[in-house]
């Protein structure tokens, strides 16, 4: 059999979350081709020595993932509630060891749940159905955004998906300032994890003004995570679910779906948009 080299191997060997594989394609089953696939590993978040959740994720930006998850799940109120984060290899995946303040750890133990996360995990492992759609304080109306500056950010999304560009299987979450300039973007195989990573990076940089843009659909959990972190405006490239719209309406979040160049569907609270 003939063997070909990957045409895009240059400058990607240092990208965490990629692995090269040999494959065959229809029409050329006698030719071995080397290509890239995205890594998917179990990531355990361990708070003060107690494992809380295991998610399937890309093995990169795990510190900001831990911070964003802790914020979006209401485990902490601010980054100051975390005293330290260590990422270590464990078993066949990664372990993120998080040192919480005593007060927040006591609160976590009171509402502790065990999750067995899969890519795009939703309610799996929640012990009580009441935990789904937990109350989020209504957001204030302090942000506005001009829809005319959205198109430029949409055109730049792929620049923040180096793994996705090579593999076609990741999501990205971006933070845009009021002028529509992308401040940061985080990528992952799971849309919820990508959002948590971005929310963690946002908290690290102490960015408040701006909007979130995600490459996926808007599920209720995406809305709830955003609102929990004080995000007032959420743009999604794909559609929103009924529960996402209900949660967004209830917590005063402006939810926009089908965000494409020259197009946007506003589901809730359009008064923030120009």
């Amino acid at each position: 059999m003939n063997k070909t080299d990957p045409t895009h191997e240059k400058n990607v060997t240092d990208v965490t979350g990629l692995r090269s594989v040999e494959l065959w394609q229809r029409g050329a089953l006698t030719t071995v081709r080397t290509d890239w696939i995205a890594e998917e590993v179990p990531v355990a978040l361990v708070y003060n020595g107690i494992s809380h959740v295991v998610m399937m994720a890309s093995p990169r930006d795990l510190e900001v993932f831990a911070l964003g998850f802790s914020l979006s799940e209401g485990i902490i109120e601010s980054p100051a509630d975390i005293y330290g984060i260590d990422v270590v290899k464990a078993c066949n995946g990664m372990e993120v060891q998080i040192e919480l303040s005593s007060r927040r750890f006591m609160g976590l133990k009171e509402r502790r749940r065990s999750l067995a996360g899969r890519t795009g995990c939703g309610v799996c492992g929640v012990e009580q159905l009441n935990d789904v759609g937990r109350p989020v304080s209504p957001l204030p109306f302090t942000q506005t955004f001009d829809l005319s500056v959205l198109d430029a950010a949409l055109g730049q999304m792929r620049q923040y998906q180096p793994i996705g560009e090579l593999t076609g299987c990741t999501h990205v979450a971006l933070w845009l300032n009021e002028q529509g300039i992308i401040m940061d973007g985080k990528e992952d195989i799971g849309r919820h994890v990508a959002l948590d990573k971005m929310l963690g990076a946002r908290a690290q940089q102490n960015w408040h003004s701006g909007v979130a843009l995600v490459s996926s659909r808007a599920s209720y959990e995406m809305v709830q995570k955003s609102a929990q972190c004080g995000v007032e405006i959420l743009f999604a490239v794909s559609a929103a679910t009924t529960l996402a719209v209900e949660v967004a309406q209830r917590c005063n979040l402006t939810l926009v779906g089908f965000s494409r160049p020259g197009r946007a569907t506003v589901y809730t609270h359009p008064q923030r948009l120009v």
Side-chain angles (χ1 to χ4, degrees):
M1 293 185 180
N2 296 324
K3 187 171 181 178
T4 61
D5 293 325
T7 58
H8 41 240
E9 186 169 0
K10 191 179 297 183
N11 299 326
V12 300
T13 54
D14 60 341
V15 177
T16 303
L18 281 172
R19 185 177 301 173
S20 62
V21 295
E22 293 183 349
L23 51 81
W24 297 259
Q25 290 183 323
R26 179 177 176 178
L29 294 180
T30 59
T31 301
V32 180
R33 178 170 176 260
T34 304
D35 208 340
W36 298 99
I37 59 173
E39 286 189 281
E40 181 180 30
V41 302
V43 177
L45 299 185
V46 180
Y47 292 91
N48 291 19
I50 298 178
S51 181
H52 175 68
V53 61
V54 178
M55 302 293 289
M56 300 306 295
S58 303
R60 57 185 297 167
D61 298 317
L62 296 182
E63 293 90 347
V64 290
F65 168 47
L67 175 57
F69 179 90
S70 301
L71 288 165
S72 70
E73 290 292 312
I75 296 171
I76 63 173
E77 294 177 346
S78 75
D81 291 325
I82 291 180
Y83 296 157
I85 298 176
D86 292 312
V87 178
V88 298
K89 290 185 178 181
C91 299
N92 294 318
M94 307 293 291
E95 189 173 282
V96 186
Q97 300 170 351
I98 305 152
E99 184 183 357
L100 278 184
S101 68
S102 298
R103 181 175 66 89
R104 300 310 301 179
F105 185 57
M106 290 297 295
L108 175 62
K109 287 198 294 186
E110 290 176 2
R111 58 177 285 263
R112 184 170 174 262
R113 62 183 183 175
S114 258
L115 294 172
R118 293 177 292 181
T119 303
C121 173
V123 302
C124 48
V126 179
E127 293 176 349
Q128 298 179 357
L129 287 178
N130 289 335
D131 288 339
V132 180
R134 65 183 181 277
V136 177
S137 299
L139 294 164
F141 287 85
T142 65
Q143 302 293 305
T144 58
F145 190 76
D146 189 338
L147 287 172
S148 66
V149 301
L150 180 63
D151 288 1
L154 288 167
Q156 297 171 32
M157 291 187 78
R158 289 191 175 184
Q159 297 178 23
Y160 293 84
Q161 288 178 275
I163 296 174
E165 277 289 275
L166 294 169
T167 66
C169 71
T170 64
H171 288 289
V172 67
L174 306 175
W175 184 253
L176 283 56
N177 67 12
E178 292 174 302
Q179 291 73 46
I181 297 172
I182 299 174
M183 305 301 293
D184 201 358
K186 297 299 178 185
E187 178 186 29
D188 199 89
I189 56 170
R191 64 185 188 277
H192 300 136
V193 179
L195 178 60
D196 278 332
K197 288 179 177 181
M198 185 277 288
L199 292 171
R202 170 179 176 261
Q204 277 188 339
Q205 298 298 325
N206 201 30
W207 291 322
H208 296 287
S209 298
V211 305
L213 170 61
V214 296
S215 62
S216 64
R217 71 180 185 271
S219 63
Y220 91 91
E221 192 173 22
M222 303 288 278
V223 170
Q224 190 163 269
K225 283 177 173 290
S226 299
Q228 181 72 40
C229 292
V231 176
E232 295 185 29
I233 305 172
L234 173 63
F235 289 95
V237 168
S238 297
T241 65
T242 55
L243 188 54
V245 174
E246 292 171 11
V247 173
Q249 185 67 47
R250 191 164 59 240
C251 66
N252 293 345
L253 181 139
T254 297
L255 178 60
V256 185
F258 295 111
S259 302
R260 313 287 173 81
R263 178 186 176 190
T265 300
V266 183
Y267 295 103
T268 59
H269 303 293
Q271 58 267 45
R272 290 191 180 93
L273 303 174
V274 179

